[in-house]
Amino acid sequence: MIGPEQLYEMLKKAQEPLGYFFNKDRDTVFALLKGLLTNKERYGYMSCPCRLASGDYEKDRDIICPCEYRAPDVAEFGSCYCGLYVSSDWNEGKTKHVYVPERRPSSRMPF
């Protein structure tokens, strides 16, 4: 199993060319990466640690990191819901840091 450092390097290489950067707050990033790895162990896939997963891959497809809400969140707010991925402007303080509302429809939530 890989650790948070290895996951960080893998995701950084894959996501930065797409314009998605890790939050400059490394404590936040590594807490979220650990959550992703915990969910990988628990469910077999890396669901967003900021959302409740059902344990059913098909039902949780939309929240498997990077979730399908990341692109619109970063485009509108400069950050995804959990704050793992941000724009370069967000990291540089050119974008106001605001609360990112949940986009996942309640009909997709497991409760």
Side-chain angles (χ1 to χ4, degrees):
M1 178 156 169
I2 67 169
E5 288 286 344
Q6 294 92 346
L7 183 58
Y8 178 91
E9 291 303 324
M10 288 173 25
L11 294 177
K12 182 176 175 161
K13 285 179 189 173
Q15 300 304 317
E16 281 190 358
L18 302 174
Y20 299 103
F21 302 88
F22 282 130
N23 187 323
K24 66 182 178 181
D25 181 340
R26 287 184 60 88
D27 290 339
T28 296
V29 169
F30 278 90
L32 291 166
L33 292 177
K34 288 174 186 172
L36 287 171
L37 292 170
T38 296
N39 285 344
K40 172 80 171 157
E41 262 183 55
R42 185 178 290 149
Y43 305 117
Y45 51 89
M46 291 192 298
S47 63
C48 178
C50 295
R51 294 180 166 106
L52 291 175
S54 69
D56 180 317
Y57 180 87
E58 288 304 316
K59 288 180 181 176
D60 293 339
R61 264 196 140 139
D62 62 322
I63 60 168
I64 295 173
C65 190
C67 74
E68 68 181 50
Y69 310 106
R70 177 188 67 174
D73 284 351
V74 173
E76 186 173 348
F77 301 103
S79 169
C80 68
Y81 178 70
C82 68
L84 179 63
Y85 289 109
V86 301
S87 67
S88 59
D89 283 349
W90 191 94
N91 264 343
E92 294 168 13
K94 296 177 184 175
T95 300
K96 189 175 179 182
H97 296 188
V98 298
Y99 172 77
V100 178
E102 173 65 271
R103 287 182 193 268
R104 190 177 198 208
S106 59
S107 61
R108 300 213 52 187
M109 295 183 191
F111 48 88

